[in-house]
Amino acid sequence: MKNRDVARMLEEIANLLSLLNENPFRIRAYLEAARVVANVPEPIEEVWQQGRLQEIPGIGPSIASKIDEYLRTGRSSYVEELRRR
């Protein structure tokens, strides 16, 4: 998976949260995380394998856990839950 794939997943979360009228700060956090991940100079998989996701500015424990699941499984249960809502 490429950085852009992970960034698209984070953007989708932000878009779904927006459609659900969720907290604007959460929406911005996901959009910012998507922007940052898309521009990380090294492959996100390497950062993840080295346990350094939270060293990326704007990636806290919650967003890191969603990236972790996506990189491990190729899917996001959070995205699926938001789609159902």
Side-chain angles (χ1 to χ4, degrees), residues 7-51:
R8 272 194 288 272
M9 183 265 303
L10 295 171
E11 289 169 353
E12 182 174 3
I13 290 173
N15 291 334
L16 290 166
L17 290 172
S18 180
L19 288 171
L20 294 167
N21 293 315
E22 293 287 337
N23 184 319
F25 295 107
R26 283 184 71 205
I27 296 165
R28 273 188 294 237
Y30 279 99
L31 288 174
E32 178 63 15
R35 185 190 66 75
V36 170
V37 166
N39 292 302
V40 169
E42 58 191 302
I44 195 69
E45 297 96 330
E46 287 180 20
V47 176
W48 167 67
Q49 289 170 344
Q50 296 168 2

Side-chain angles (χ1 to χ4, degrees), residues 41-84:
E42 58 191 302
I44 195 69
E45 297 96 330
E46 287 180 20
V47 176
W48 167 67
Q49 289 170 344
Q50 296 168 2
R52 298 186 297 120
L53 283 176
Q54 291 186 57
E55 292 177 15
I56 300 171
I59 306 295
S62 178
I63 292 175
S65 72
K66 288 163 182 77
I67 294 171
D68 174 70
E69 178 188 20
Y70 188 71
L71 292 173
R72 277 186 300 103
T73 67
R75 58 184 279 280
S76 167
S77 58
Y78 189 57
V79 168
E80 292 167 5
E81 173 192 331
L82 291 174
R83 287 177 183 161
R84 281 191 296 273

